Amino acid sequence: MAEEKLLRQAVWQCYQAEVTDQISVSNLQVTANAGVDVWGRKKPQPALLTVTVSLPQPFSSAAEGDVVDSSTVHYGRLSKSAISSVEKAGPSWLSSMDLAQLIEGAASATASSVSLAACEVDVFYPKGSMLGDGAGLTYSKAYGDNTISRVLYLKNVRVPCIIGVNSHERLMKQPVVASLWIDCLARDQTDEYIKVEQMLIKTIEESSFETLESLATTVVARLMDGFVRSISPGANVRLRVTKPMAVPFADAPAIEIFRAFKP
């Protein structure tokens, strides 16, 4: 079997631009003995699974005959196989990467009569973040060239801090909301979202910037130095920071930056 080639998710998606049709199921609810909970413990926790399979050709005969035939993938069976693979894993603890690969294998087996171009599995832990909406891992694999991507992410982490150029903003902390993606993550670091969130929170809490640009750049630099360089070298960081209280008649202004790893 050819060795897997790790790509940035954006690059991997560009390689899949010629994929024609996709079938997906979103937010399948399971109890997974995988990852770590918000306290860093290896205990069962709720997880939401999203599975997407990509076909290299249109599902023409299924569309023309209005039937679920061998040109497509039955999304009901896809859902059941994903859930069943988690249930059959038993009491042994799995890393998030192990879980994602288990589900990818089940999806591939379910679609055995169809030539798949790619599969993407998103494992989301809604209780995996102390101050945010959750944490997760997105694992993508293309079967033709054996390219993959791995992205650890934190969703909507809310942290109060001093931020703003106006005089009244210097008097009281206000919330900023940060979402973070670490791309090209090392395989053995897919459960480090608690450590990453703690670094993210500490950096924002202790800051006192006037602009979101300075805040976002400083946060990413700290993550690069404190996590990526020493723990997951080669990874890249994308950060989106919003300031929901800043503009009365808008949801929030936002800054989003991407920084690539530099040895």
Side-chain angles (χ1 to χ4, degrees), residues 121-216:
V121 176
D122 186 90
V123 178
F124 179 67
Y125 304 117
K127 300 290 187 180
S129 168
M130 183 65 76
L131 298 183
D133 291 345
L137 171 72
T138 302
Y139 169 63
S140 311
K141 180 174 182 177
Y143 297 109
D145 55 10
N146 220 30
T147 55
I148 65 169
S149 75
R150 279 191 297 268
V151 183
L152 178 150
Y153 64 91
L154 291 165
K155 188 175 180 181
N156 295 332
V157 181
R158 299 166 181 85
V159 187
C161 67
I162 296 294
I163 182 74
V165 300
N166 298 310
S167 57
H168 61 274
E169 292 182 300
R170 311 309 299 172
L171 301 175
M172 184 182 299
K173 289 185 176 183
Q174 61 177 301
V176 297
V177 182
S179 293
L180 176 74
W181 298 263
I182 300 182
D183 206 341
C184 292
L185 186 77
R187 178 187 170 87
D188 60 352
Q189 300 300 315
T190 57
D191 295 319
E192 296 293 352
Y193 42 88
I194 302 302
K195 179 183 294 184
V196 170
E197 183 181 47
Q198 290 172 348
M199 295 177 64
L200 175 73
I201 292 170
K202 186 175 188 296
T203 304
I204 295 175
E205 280 182 336
E206 295 177 351
S207 69
S208 181
F209 291 105
E210 293 190 351
T211 66
L212 289 176
E213 288 86 346
S214 291
L215 175 61

XYZ file of all heavy atoms in Angstrom, residues 121-216:
754
model
N -14.343 12.477 7.117
C -15.009 12.193 8.393
C -14.723 13.326 9.359
O -13.559 13.697 9.571
C -14.518 10.853 8.996
C -15.163 10.629 10.367
C -14.832 9.699 8.071
N -15.778 13.874 9.925
C -15.630 14.902 10.946
C -16.143 14.347 12.268
O -17.295 13.909 12.362
C -16.416 16.167 10.573
C -16.176 17.303 11.549
O -15.239 18.081 11.328
O -16.929 17.396 12.553
N -15.279 14.364 13.276
C -15.631 13.925 14.621
C -15.682 15.155 15.515
O -14.660 15.830 15.705
C -14.600 12.920 15.175
C -14.970 12.513 16.600
C -14.500 11.693 14.274
N -16.847 15.455 16.034
C -17.036 16.667 16.828
C -17.496 16.310 18.235
O -18.455 15.544 18.409
C -18.064 17.580 16.156
C -18.338 18.861 16.912
C -17.355 19.830 17.033
C -19.573 19.091 17.498
C -17.597 21.016 17.722
C -19.829 20.269 18.192
C -18.842 21.234 18.309
N -16.786 16.859 19.235
C -17.140 16.636 20.638
C -17.783 17.902 21.202
O -17.085 18.873 21.515
C -15.891 16.292 21.453
C -15.109 15.106 20.954
C -13.794 15.254 20.495
C -15.665 13.830 20.938
C -13.069 14.167 20.040
C -14.940 12.740 20.485
C -13.639 12.914 20.035
O -12.910 11.831 19.586
N -19.100 17.933 21.347
C -19.762 19.148 21.844
C -19.407 19.486 23.289
O -19.593 20.629 23.714
C -21.256 18.837 21.686
C -21.344 17.355 21.601
C -20.077 16.889 20.979
N -18.887 18.514 24.038
C -18.455 18.760 25.414
C -16.930 18.791 25.522
O -16.376 18.699 26.617
C -18.999 17.662 26.347
C -20.514 17.556 26.377
C -21.155 18.743 27.074
C -22.657 18.534 27.235
N -23.300 19.685 27.928
N -16.264 18.967 24.392
C -14.808 18.921 24.383
C -14.132 20.264 24.569
O -12.911 20.352 24.455
N -14.904 21.294 24.852
C -14.346 22.631 25.060
C -14.926 23.225 26.321
O -16.144 23.141 26.562
C -14.668 23.526 23.859
O -14.397 24.884 24.138
N -14.081 23.855 27.144
C -14.541 24.438 28.394
C -15.327 25.722 28.168
O -16.348 25.971 28.820
C -13.343 24.721 29.304
C -13.713 25.267 30.675
S -14.641 24.074 31.685
C -13.314 22.965 32.187
N -14.880 26.571 27.239
C -15.516 27.866 27.027
C -16.110 28.023 25.628
O -16.563 29.116 25.276
C -14.508 28.999 27.268
C -13.922 29.116 28.680
C -12.992 30.320 28.773
C -15.023 29.214 29.725
N -16.110 26.957 24.843
C -16.599 27.057 23.472
C -17.715 26.076 23.167
O -18.236 25.387 24.051
N -18.062 26.001 21.891
C -19.143 25.118 21.448
C -18.683 23.683 21.281
O -19.518 22.785 21.136
C -19.714 25.622 20.122
C -20.477 26.922 20.277
O -20.807 27.288 21.426
O -20.749 27.575 19.249
N -17.379 23.455 21.272
C -16.882 22.097 21.140
C -15.553 22.051 20.421
O -15.001 23.075 20.003
N -15.030 20.826 20.292
C -13.748 20.592 19.622
C -13.897 19.390 18.711
O -14.793 18.561 18.894
C -12.645 20.351 20.653
N -13.012 19.303 17.728
C -13.139 18.169 16.826
C -11.941 17.938 15.942
O -10.917 18.630 16.014
N -12.099 16.930 15.084
C -11.073 16.540 14.119
C -11.745 16.261 12.788
O -12.763 15.564 12.744
C -10.341 15.274 14.591
C -9.388 14.635 13.576
C -8.138 15.485 13.405
C -9.022 13.206 13.980
N -11.191 16.814 11.720
C -11.641 16.485 10.372
C -10.544 15.714 9.663
O -9.412 16.196 9.537
C -11.978 17.761 9.568
O -12.981 18.511 10.268
C -12.520 17.395 8.195
N -10.882 14.501 9.225
C -9.935 13.622 8.527
C -10.457 13.375 7.118
O -11.610 12.964 6.938
C -9.794 12.307 9.285
C -9.052 11.222 8.537
C -7.719 11.380 8.188
C -9.685 10.033 8.191
C -7.031 10.384 7.506
C -9.012 9.024 7.518
C -7.683 9.200 7.180
O -7.017 8.218 6.501
N -9.633 13.648 6.132
C -10.030 13.493 4.731
C -9.048 12.585 4.012
O -7.842 12.662 4.253
C -10.056 14.858 4.038
O -10.771 15.813 4.793
N -9.588 11.745 3.119
C -8.715 10.811 2.395
C -9.184 10.673 0.952
O -10.373 10.474 0.693
C -8.717 9.437 3.069
C -7.829 8.412 2.369
C -7.742 7.115 3.152
C -6.800 6.128 2.463
N -6.642 4.879 3.247
N -8.240 10.805 0.020
C -8.499 10.541 -1.389
C -7.905 9.180 -1.738
O -6.743 8.906 -1.429
C -7.881 11.627 -2.262
N -8.698 8.317 -2.365
C -8.261 6.946 -2.591
C -7.342 6.801 -3.804
O -6.491 5.921 -3.838
C -9.485 6.034 -2.745
C -10.322 5.987 -1.484
C -11.570 6.598 -1.441
C -9.850 5.348 -0.353
C -12.336 6.570 -0.288
C -10.605 5.315 0.818
C -11.851 5.929 0.843
O -12.593 5.914 1.990
N -7.494 7.685 -4.784
C -6.701 7.553 -5.996
C -5.220 7.754 -5.776
O -4.385 6.959 -6.224
N -4.864 8.823 -5.053
C -3.450 9.135 -4.833
C -3.028 8.995 -3.370
O -1.905 9.329 -3.000
C -3.121 10.542 -5.329
C -4.020 11.602 -4.694
O -4.755 11.265 -3.733
O -3.992 12.752 -5.148
N -3.950 8.505 -2.535
C -3.662 8.256 -1.118
C -3.238 9.518 -0.374
O -2.410 9.475 0.542
C -2.577 7.190 -0.972
C -2.880 6.223 0.176
O -4.041 5.966 0.493
N -1.843 5.688 0.797
N -3.776 10.658 -0.766
C -3.515 11.894 -0.037
C -4.541 12.055 1.079
O -5.699 11.641 0.950
C -3.584 13.122 -0.960
O -4.846 13.154 -1.634
C -2.463 13.091 -1.971
N -4.109 12.664 2.188
C -4.981 12.850 3.341
C -4.802 14.261 3.895
O -3.848 14.965 3.564
C -4.679 11.829 4.464
C -3.267 12.060 5.034
C -4.863 10.403 3.988
C -2.987 11.291 6.309
N -5.748 14.667 4.734
C -5.563 15.873 5.537
C -6.085 15.604 6.939
O -6.981 14.771 7.136
C -6.281 17.078 4.917
O -7.676 17.010 5.124
N -5.496 16.303 7.919
C -5.907 16.199 9.327
C -6.014 17.607 9.889
O -5.040 18.367 9.841
C -4.887 15.424 10.159
C -4.961 13.937 10.072
C -4.089 13.284 11.145
N -2.690 13.594 10.980
C -1.823 12.847 10.295
N -2.215 11.748 9.696
N -0.556 13.203 10.206
N -7.166 17.938 10.440
C -7.371 19.267 11.000
C -8.018 19.145 12.378
O -9.127 18.619 12.507
C -8.274 20.141 10.096
C -8.398 21.538 10.677
C -7.736 20.205 8.677
N -7.329 19.619 13.397
C -7.907 19.750 14.727
C -8.529 21.139 14.824
O -7.952 22.113 14.340
C -6.828 19.566 15.792
C -7.214 19.716 17.265
C -6.329 18.825 18.132
C -7.071 21.173 17.743
N -9.698 21.242 15.459
C -10.320 22.558 15.537
C -11.066 22.780 16.852
O -11.484 21.830 17.526
C -11.271 22.780 14.354
C -12.476 21.854 14.303
C -13.676 22.201 14.919
C -12.420 20.634 13.620
C -14.783 21.359 14.865
C -13.513 19.790 13.561
C -14.696 20.162 14.175
O -15.789 19.326 14.121
N -11.179 24.049 17.207
C -11.984 24.518 18.328
C -13.029 25.472 17.774
O -12.719 26.300 16.909
C -11.125 25.243 19.361
C -10.140 24.398 20.155
C -9.122 25.295 20.855
C -10.873 23.535 21.178
N -14.235 25.370 18.273
C -15.347 26.140 17.709
C -15.896 27.134 18.727
O -16.352 26.757 19.803
C -16.445 25.168 17.269
C -17.582 25.785 16.498
C -18.523 24.685 16.020
C -19.685 25.242 15.229
N -20.607 24.165 14.778
N -15.815 28.420 18.385
C -16.469 29.498 19.144
C -16.104 29.502 20.631
O -16.970 29.381 21.504
C -17.988 29.419 18.987
C -18.447 29.675 17.566
O -17.783 30.386 16.815
N -19.572 29.090 17.183
N -14.821 29.662 20.909
C -14.346 29.780 22.287
C -14.523 31.239 22.733
O -13.968 32.152 22.127
C -12.865 29.367 22.401
C -12.401 29.471 23.852
C -12.670 27.943 21.878
N -15.289 31.452 23.781
C -15.628 32.803 24.242
C -14.751 33.192 25.428
O -14.788 32.547 26.476
C -17.103 32.863 24.636
C -18.056 32.554 23.483
C -19.471 32.295 23.956
N -20.355 31.974 22.834
C -20.495 30.768 22.315
N -19.796 29.748 22.818
N -21.305 30.564 21.299
N -13.974 34.264 25.244
C -13.015 34.684 26.262
C -13.137 36.197 26.466
O -13.037 36.960 25.505
C -11.573 34.352 25.849
C -10.611 34.636 27.004
C -11.452 32.897 25.386
N -13.329 36.671 27.710
C -13.354 38.119 27.959
C -11.949 38.697 28.028
O -11.034 38.064 28.567
C -14.065 38.226 29.304
C -13.781 36.930 29.989
C -13.669 35.890 28.908
N -11.781 39.891 27.485
C -10.483 40.555 27.548
C -10.673 42.050 27.282
O -11.738 42.499 26.859
C -9.509 39.965 26.530
S -9.951 40.287 24.810
N -9.620 42.812 27.551
C -9.604 44.228 27.173
C -9.225 44.315 25.703
O -8.159 43.856 25.300
C -8.602 45.026 28.018
C -9.022 45.012 29.494
C -8.497 46.458 27.515
C -10.316 45.746 29.785
N -10.115 44.859 24.881
C -9.856 44.971 23.459
C -10.621 46.171 22.904
O -11.796 46.351 23.208
C -10.262 43.670 22.720
C -9.951 43.749 21.205
C -11.721 43.313 22.957
C -8.515 43.644 20.858
N -9.944 47.010 22.130
C -10.641 48.118 21.493
C -9.853 49.416 21.540
O -8.988 49.615 22.396
N -10.190 50.309 20.608
C -9.500 51.592 20.523
C -10.246 52.712 21.243
O -9.670 53.767 21.527
C -9.293 51.994 19.043
C -8.458 50.956 18.308
C -10.643 52.153 18.330
N -11.512 52.506 21.551
C -12.309 53.547 22.209
C -12.038 53.585 23.701
O -11.727 52.556 24.326
C -13.800 53.313 21.958
C -14.150 53.382 20.474
O -13.777 54.326 19.793
N -14.846 52.363 19.985
N -12.177 54.781 24.300
C -11.835 54.964 25.704
C -12.675 54.067 26.614
O -12.165 53.511 27.590
C -12.024 56.433 26.105
O -13.356 56.855 25.858
N -13.958 53.909 26.297
C -14.808 53.084 27.172
C -14.430 51.599 27.077
O -14.685 50.838 28.013
C -16.285 53.271 26.818
C -16.650 52.884 25.422
N -16.546 53.736 24.350
C -17.108 51.703 24.906
C -16.934 53.126 23.246
N -17.279 51.878 23.559
N -13.825 51.191 25.972
C -13.425 49.793 25.820
C -12.189 49.458 26.653
O -11.884 48.280 26.855
C -13.154 49.474 24.351
C -14.386 49.508 23.468
C -14.087 49.136 22.032
O -13.274 49.842 21.390
O -14.652 48.136 21.539
N -11.502 50.478 27.132
C -10.320 50.248 27.958
C -10.682 50.081 29.426
O -9.825 49.805 30.265
C -9.321 51.406 27.824
C -8.996 51.833 26.394
C -8.589 50.673 25.510
N -7.380 49.994 25.993
C -6.906 48.869 25.485
N -7.549 48.262 24.499
N -5.809 48.327 25.978
N -11.972 50.249 29.762
C -12.399 50.226 31.155
C -12.979 48.876 31.590
O -13.026 48.588 32.779
C -13.460 51.316 31.393
C -13.032 52.758 31.091
C -14.222 53.688 31.264
C -11.875 53.157 31.980
N -13.431 48.096 30.626
C -14.132 46.864 30.982
C -13.829 45.774 29.952
O -13.754 46.053 28.754
C -15.641 47.109 31.033
C -16.470 45.915 31.484
S -18.251 46.278 31.455
C -18.321 47.625 32.642
N -13.690 44.548 30.450
C -13.474 43.432 29.535
C -14.749 43.156 28.743
O -15.858 43.320 29.241
C -13.062 42.167 30.299
C -11.667 42.230 30.882
C -11.285 40.898 31.510
C -9.835 40.944 32.014
N -9.414 39.637 32.569
N -14.565 42.735 27.503
C -15.683 42.318 26.672
C -15.331 40.994 26.009
O -14.147 40.650 25.876
C -16.017 43.376 25.619
C -14.902 43.673 24.639
C -15.318 44.683 23.580
O -16.270 44.463 22.840
N -14.604 45.810 23.534
N -16.321 40.231 25.584
C -16.009 38.914 25.015
C -15.468 39.008 23.596
O -15.911 39.842 22.802
C -17.369 38.204 25.035
C -18.368 39.313 24.933
C -17.765 40.462 25.698
N -14.507 38.153 23.315
C -14.146 37.862 21.933
C -14.424 36.370 21.725
O -14.385 35.575 22.669
C -12.671 38.189 21.608
C -12.398 39.668 21.756
C -11.725 37.376 22.466
N -14.733 36.016 20.505
C -15.065 34.632 20.175
C -14.040 34.132 19.168
O -13.897 34.715 18.083
C -16.490 34.520 19.607
C -16.827 33.055 19.321
C -17.509 35.107 20.581
N -13.343 33.073 19.530
C -12.256 32.562 18.687
C -12.557 31.156 18.198
O -12.980 30.289 18.971
C -10.944 32.562 19.476
N -12.367 30.941 16.905
C -12.413 29.601 16.318
C -11.048 29.320 15.710
O -10.458 30.192 15.055
C -13.504 29.511 15.250
O -14.797 29.621 15.832
N -10.561 28.110 15.919
C -9.175 27.782 15.592
C -9.102 26.478 14.820
O -9.826 25.526 15.127
C -8.371 27.651 16.893
C -6.913 27.230 16.790
C -6.072 28.386 16.271
C -6.393 26.781 18.155
N -8.219 26.452 13.814
C -7.963 25.239 13.046
C -6.456 25.014 12.981
O -5.710 25.922 12.615
C -8.501 25.370 11.625
C -9.975 25.560 11.535
C -10.938 24.607 11.309
C -10.683 26.800 11.647
N -12.174 25.181 11.282
C -12.061 26.524 11.494
C -10.293 28.134 11.872
C -13.038 27.520 11.550
C -11.258 29.124 11.941
C -12.616 28.813 11.774
N -6.007 23.822 13.343
C -4.598 23.450 13.198
C -4.517 22.374 12.127
O -4.996 21.251 12.299
C -3.992 22.967 14.525
C -4.069 24.078 15.572
C -2.551 22.523 14.321
C -3.466 23.724 16.903
N -3.931 22.747 10.998
C -3.899 21.909 9.805
C -2.561 21.178 9.714
O -1.553 21.650 10.224
C -4.085 22.818 8.586
C -4.683 22.097 7.399
O -4.616 20.856 7.373
O -5.201 22.772 6.502
N -2.582 20.016 9.047
C -1.379 19.167 8.927
C -0.867 18.762 10.313
O 0.348 18.710 10.564
C -0.281 19.865 8.129
S -0.685 20.093 6.387
N -1.790 18.510 11.190
C -1.478 18.102 12.559
C -0.777 16.750 12.572
O -1.088 15.869 11.770
C -2.787 18.018 13.350
C -2.717 17.742 14.843
C -2.321 19.004 15.591
C -4.075 17.247 15.341
N 0.167 16.581 13.491
C 0.809 15.282 13.662
C -0.227 14.247 14.084
O -1.157 14.548 14.838
C 1.918 15.372 14.701
N -0.082 13.022 13.604
C -1.082 11.986 13.846
C -1.333 11.747 15.340
O -2.469 11.539 15.769
C -0.640 10.672 13.185
C -1.610 9.533 13.443
C -1.106 8.203 12.957
N -1.979 7.142 13.445
C -3.079 6.726 12.823
N -3.428 7.264 11.682
N -3.816 5.765 13.350
N -0.267 11.793 16.153
C -0.416 11.476 17.572
C -0.833 12.679 18.414
O -0.823 12.609 19.646
C 0.870 10.870 18.128
C 2.064 11.812 18.003
O 1.932 12.873 17.343
O 3.129 11.501 18.569
N -1.217 13.776 17.768
C -1.615 14.976 18.506
C -3.092 15.333 18.307
O -3.510 16.442 18.624
C -0.754 16.164 18.077
C 0.727 15.968 18.324
C 1.050 15.733 19.791
O 0.541 16.435 20.648
N 1.887 14.747 20.068
N -3.888 14.402 17.825
C -5.280 14.724 17.489
C -6.192 14.854 18.707
O -7.358 15.214 18.555
C -5.865 13.667 16.527
O -5.767 12.364 17.125
C -5.122 13.685 15.201
N -5.680 14.589 19.890
C -6.481 14.775 21.104
C -5.945 15.899 21.978
O -6.241 15.969 23.177
C -6.532 13.473 21.916
C -7.254 12.369 21.174
O -8.294 12.657 20.549
O -6.775 11.215 21.203
N -5.186 16.792 21.404
C -4.573 17.878 22.174
C -5.421 19.153 22.183
O -4.901 20.242 22.465
C -3.174 18.181 21.632
C -2.190 17.043 21.775
C -1.836 16.747 23.233
O -2.239 17.531 24.111
O -1.158 15.740 23.477
N -6.698 19.033 21.889
C -7.535 20.240 21.830
C -7.688 20.914 23.188
O -7.872 22.135 23.253
C -8.906 19.921 21.220
C -9.544 18.635 21.672
C -10.337 18.585 22.803
C -9.353 17.460 20.944
C -10.928 17.399 23.212
C -9.936 16.269 21.347
C -10.727 16.237 22.484
O -11.302 15.065 22.890
N -7.601 20.169 24.284
C -7.689 20.782 25.613
C -6.453 21.653 25.865
O -6.562 22.802 26.313
C -7.820 19.712 26.709
C -9.047 18.833 26.468
C -7.897 20.374 28.077
C -10.354 19.593 26.399
N -5.279 21.120 25.549
C -4.044 21.887 25.720
C -4.058 23.137 24.846
O -3.685 24.229 25.291
C -2.843 21.012 25.374
C -1.504 21.720 25.505
C -0.366 20.806 25.073
C -0.218 19.622 25.996
N 0.951 18.765 25.640
N -4.498 22.975 23.608
C -4.549 24.112 22.686
C -5.529 25.165 23.193
O -5.241 26.368 23.165
C -4.935 23.630 21.275
C -5.236 24.815 20.361
C -3.829 22.776 20.679
N -6.685 24.723 23.684
C -7.666 25.694 24.180
C -7.125 26.452 25.397
O -7.343 27.669 25.523
C -8.974 25.000 24.551
C -10.039 26.007 24.999
C -11.346 25.364 25.397
O -11.320 24.369 26.155
O -12.400 25.865 24.969
N -6.439 25.768 26.283
C -5.879 26.441 27.455
C -4.880 27.518 27.047
O -4.854 28.609 27.629
C -5.228 25.410 28.378
C -6.226 24.507 29.079
C -5.572 23.363 29.835
O -4.386 23.086 29.674
N -6.348 22.694 30.675
N -4.054 27.229 26.053
C -3.096 28.225 25.558
C -3.831 29.391 24.917
O -3.464 30.558 25.110
C -2.139 27.578 24.558
C -1.235 26.513 25.142
S -0.199 25.721 23.877
C 0.790 27.120 23.367
N -4.865 29.086 24.155
C -5.670 30.112 23.499
C -6.315 31.032 24.529
O -6.223 32.270 24.438
C -6.734 29.445 22.636
C -7.761 30.342 21.951
C -7.134 31.092 20.805
C -8.946 29.514 21.455
N -6.959 30.456 25.540
C -7.655 31.228 26.565
C -6.675 32.106 27.347
O -6.927 33.296 27.575
C -8.424 30.285 27.523
C -9.581 29.609 26.776
C -8.949 31.057 28.728
C -10.240 28.498 27.566
N -5.562 31.522 27.767
C -4.593 32.262 28.568
C -4.046 33.468 27.802
O -3.936 34.573 28.361
C -3.450 31.344 28.981
C -2.441 31.964 29.944
C -1.423 30.923 30.384
C -0.524 31.460 31.490
N 0.314 32.586 31.047
N -3.733 33.268 26.534
C -3.176 34.362 25.734
C -4.182 35.491 25.565
O -3.841 36.674 25.696
C -2.736 33.847 24.357
O -1.809 32.769 24.534
C -2.061 34.948 23.560
N -5.430 35.148 25.308
C -6.452 36.177 25.116
C -6.775 36.873 26.432
O -6.864 38.114 26.483
C -7.725 35.575 24.496
C -7.438 35.050 23.091
C -8.853 36.612 24.446
C -8.602 34.339 22.435
N -6.939 36.103 27.508
C -7.287 36.684 28.807
C -6.262 37.709 29.271
O -6.613 38.744 29.854
C -7.413 35.578 29.860
C -8.720 34.836 29.848
C -8.796 33.797 30.946
O -7.730 33.326 31.407
O -9.907 33.447 31.348
N -5.000 37.422 29.047
C -3.926 38.280 29.545
C -3.590 39.431 28.598
O -2.723 40.251 28.905
C -2.675 37.429 29.796
C -2.868 36.394 30.899
C -1.656 35.504 31.090
O -0.721 35.588 30.239
O -1.637 34.715 32.048
N -4.273 39.507 27.478
C -3.954 40.532 26.484
C -4.705 41.833 26.760
O -5.675 41.868 27.519
C -4.306 40.034 25.078
O -5.707 39.920 24.922
N -4.248 42.894 26.130
C -4.886 44.209 26.251
C -4.607 45.022 24.987
O -4.060 46.118 25.042
C -4.366 44.944 27.495
O -4.979 46.200 27.644
N -5.025 44.468 23.847
C -4.746 45.113 22.570
C -5.855 46.091 22.193
O -6.984 46.005 22.686
C -4.594 44.063 21.465
C -3.353 43.221 21.597
C -3.439 41.900 22.041
C -2.109 43.742 21.294
C -2.300 41.124 22.172
C -0.961 42.968 21.405
C -1.059 41.661 21.854
N -5.538 46.970 21.283
C -6.555 47.858 20.742
C -7.216 47.250 19.506
O -8.379 47.542 19.227
C -5.933 49.221 20.398
C -5.468 49.992 21.629
C -5.092 51.421 21.297
O -5.032 51.767 20.091
O -4.871 52.195 22.242
N -6.480 46.409 18.772
C -7.025 45.875 17.523
C -7.108 44.354 17.537
O -6.293 43.660 18.172
C -6.161 46.296 16.324
O -4.865 45.679 16.432
C -6.013 47.812 16.269
N -8.090 43.844 16.787
C -8.204 42.402 16.604
C -7.027 41.864 15.798
O -6.615 40.710 15.980
C -9.509 42.066 15.880
C -10.812 42.247 16.670
C -12.011 41.970 15.761
C -10.860 41.357 17.898
N -6.473 42.697 14.911
C -5.324 42.270 14.114
C -4.143 41.893 15.007
O -3.505 40.845 14.817
C -4.912 43.381 13.140
C -5.872 43.586 11.978
C -7.027 44.535 12.300
O -7.256 44.837 13.492
O -7.704 44.971 11.357
N -3.852 42.739 16.002
C -2.745 42.451 16.915
C -3.046 41.250 17.790
O -2.174 40.405 18.036
C -2.460 43.676 17.791
O -1.922 44.729 17.032
N -4.290 41.173 18.255
C -4.671 40.045 19.099
C -4.530 38.730 18.348
O -3.904 37.775 18.847
C -6.113 40.215 19.578
C -6.704 39.043 20.374
C -5.918 38.800 21.650
C -8.178 39.281 20.675
N -5.105 38.646 17.154
C -5.066 37.405 16.382
C -3.631 36.998 16.053
O -3.253 35.825 16.174
C -5.875 37.563 15.099
